[in-house]
Amino acid sequence: GELAQALAMYIIDKIKKNPNVRVRDPAALQAKLQQIIRDGYDKLLVISDFDFTLSRYKDNTGQRCLTTHGVFDDCTKELYPKLAEELGILVKKYIPIEFCPNMSVEEKTPHMEDWWRTSHQKIVENKFTYEQIEEFVSRARLYLRDAAVEFIRSVEAHNVPLVLFSAGIGNIIEIILKKALGHVPHTLHVISNLMEFDDNNVCVNFTEPLIHTFCKNSSVITGERPFFHHVRNRTNVILLGDSLGDINMDVGIENEGTSLKIGFLNFDFDNLLPRYTEVYDIVIIDSQTMELPLEIFRFCG
Ligand code: TMP
């Protein structure tokens, strides 16, 4: 108990000195940290978003990076200009809806379903092979955050399940992790949109249910119930996200312990910070490193 308290206070002290990090309620954060540290790795589950959470929002030159879907908008420009153009038009049409402050989630949802469905359909129409997609990914401006590899390695080394809950494309996540780590972590469980391939390795379909920004919660984890039941003895959660839709990724899971939520705020800092500090225990502002989540995780044993 005393050691957990000392470690939690140490982390909070470090956070207070970091100008890129905000905490609304240090006392509540301390209580959560203490419980997670005291209960240890055996009771812990990590649930994380991928795009702009494990992956970078900006590269070292300050240029915007790509989401997993963005690989198809960007890397196809020379050989598949029609696809790149069509996907670009969709982004311009739907991003303002995704982030519109005056629309409810209920109002946004049908538009997001249209976006994802149309986008997947256009990708499938081009009959890409798995090898072509690997080639696109290798050329894409899509990188893991600094210290992300160390974070994932540490989670795997302590046998803590890592759930990646992504409205992006799961196959692309796996290609990136395989390349960065040399293997797919044995404790990894991806809940995402998956491309399905035929006997000739050609992408012919995306899996259902479709996962978009606003349905990252229990409504789409039906097929995952056996997995979450299997990890139900893991009562504490560290949740990592970058959008307001990510805070519900632990909803519907049977865990009853504490949930520590860490949010990356990537843009529009002044407008979004108040909302982010309301829903996330820790907000990391305009920073491309996972050092803080890594440090917290390392104390959890
Ligand atoms: P996520 O970070 O919650 O997993 O959301 C994935 C992001 O992907 C979301 O902000 C919208 C974006 N997206 C594209 O950039 N292109 C697309 O074609 C689609 C369907 C989504």
Side-chain angles (χ1 to χ4, degrees):
E2 264 173 46
L3 179 62
Q5 187 180 11
L7 291 174
M9 284 169 74
Y10 173 82
I11 292 167
I12 288 181
D13 210 48
K14 274 202 95 163
I15 286 174
K16 280 185 182 157
K17 290 184 187 133
N18 188 334
N20 293 325
V21 182
R22 295 296 147 77
V23 172
R24 181 196 68 256
D25 186 345
L29 173 61
Q30 186 176 332
K32 288 188 179 193
L33 283 168
Q34 266 174 239
Q35 182 173 348
I36 290 176
I37 294 168
R38 202 186 52 225
D39 293 345
Y41 291 128
D42 291 349
K43 294 286 172 197
L44 190 57
L45 185 66
V46 177
I47 303 179
S48 180
D49 168 57
F50 183 80
D51 288 313
F52 301 153
T53 296
L54 274 189
S55 75
R56 276 175 162 258
Y57 183 70
K58 289 191 285 196
D59 69 13
N60 281 328
T61 70
Q63 203 184 354
R64 272 277 306 274
C65 291
L66 299 170
T67 61
T68 47
H69 279 101
V71 167
F72 289 102
D73 311 21
D74 203 68
C75 300
T76 54
K77 272 187 187 131
E78 280 165 31
L79 293 171
Y80 305 86
K82 185 163 167 275
L83 175 66
E85 192 196 336
E86 286 175 337
L87 292 175
I89 291 169
L90 293 176
V91 171
K92 283 206 185 71
K93 175 175 174 191
Y94 288 110
I95 284 275
I97 300 174
E98 183 179 1
F99 290 96
C100 177
N102 306 319
M103 282 174 80
S104 68
V105 166
E106 288 69 28
E107 287 170 310
K108 291 178 184 187
T109 292
H111 297 284
M112 295 301 108
E113 286 172 355
D114 285 345
W115 183 10
W116 260 251
R117 227 173 269 294
T118 313
S119 171
H120 290 175
Q121 194 187 326
K122 293 199 181 298
I123 292 168
V124 167
E125 276 169 10
N126 281 273
K127 299 188 165 58
F128 292 123
T129 63
Y130 189 83
E131 287 70 28
Q132 273 178 300
I133 294 164
E134 278 183 313
E135 162 68 18
F136 293 149
V137 175
S138 71
R139 287 190 285 119
R141 215 169 48 255
L142 200 174
Y143 317 101
L144 294 175
R145 277 184 200 268
D146 294 348
V149 166
E150 290 84 344
F151 178 79
I152 298 165
R153 280 193 207 287
S154 188
V155 172
E156 184 185 19
H158 292 101
N159 286 314
V160 172
L162 171 61
V163 179
L164 287 187
F165 204 153
S166 167
I169 301 173
N171 315 68
I172 293 187
I173 296 175
E174 286 186 3
I175 290 169
I176 290 163
L177 293 184
K178 216 184 275 177
K179 205 165 160 203
L181 297 150
H183 68 286
V184 176
H186 76 274
T187 62
L188 179 73
H189 187 83
V190 178
I191 306 172
S192 187
N193 301 296
L194 289 176
M195 306 174 102
E196 295 178 316
F197 294 86
D198 69 8
D199 291 343
N200 299 317
N201 251 343
V202 172
C203 171
V204 288
N205 223 336
F206 275 81
T207 50
E208 297 278 337
L210 191 145
I211 301 175
H212 58 77
T213 322
F214 300 111
C215 65
K216 294 170 77 172
N217 55 52
S218 58
S219 67
V220 292
I221 67 170
T222 48
E224 325 291 327
R225 291 256 159 76
F227 170 79
F228 282 105
H229 189 71
H230 175 68
V231 296
R232 74 193 177 286
N233 58 328
R234 293 181 177 267
T235 45
N236 297 326
V237 174
I238 292 179
L239 181 150
L240 299 156
D242 79 306
S243 84
L244 295 169
D246 290 335
I247 54 165
N248 299 317
M249 292 190 296
D250 61 341
V251 169
I253 298 168
E254 298 162 70
N255 313 66
E256 277 166 9
T258 196
S259 188
L260 174 69
K261 301 188 182 182
I262 304 174
F264 286 94
L265 178 51
N266 293 316
F267 57 84
D268 202 8
F269 313 117
D270 295 337
N271 278 327
L272 294 174
L273 186 59
R275 283 289 284 135
Y276 273 62
T277 48
E278 240 172 73
V279 297
Y280 283 108
D281 299 298
I282 299 173
V283 181
I284 302 174
I285 307 162
D286 194 20
S287 159
Q288 307 305 319
T289 174
M290 299 269 307
E291 267 162 53
L292 181 60
L294 173 63
E295 186 161 33
I296 291 172
F297 184 81
R298 282 188 170 149
F299 277 127
C300 293

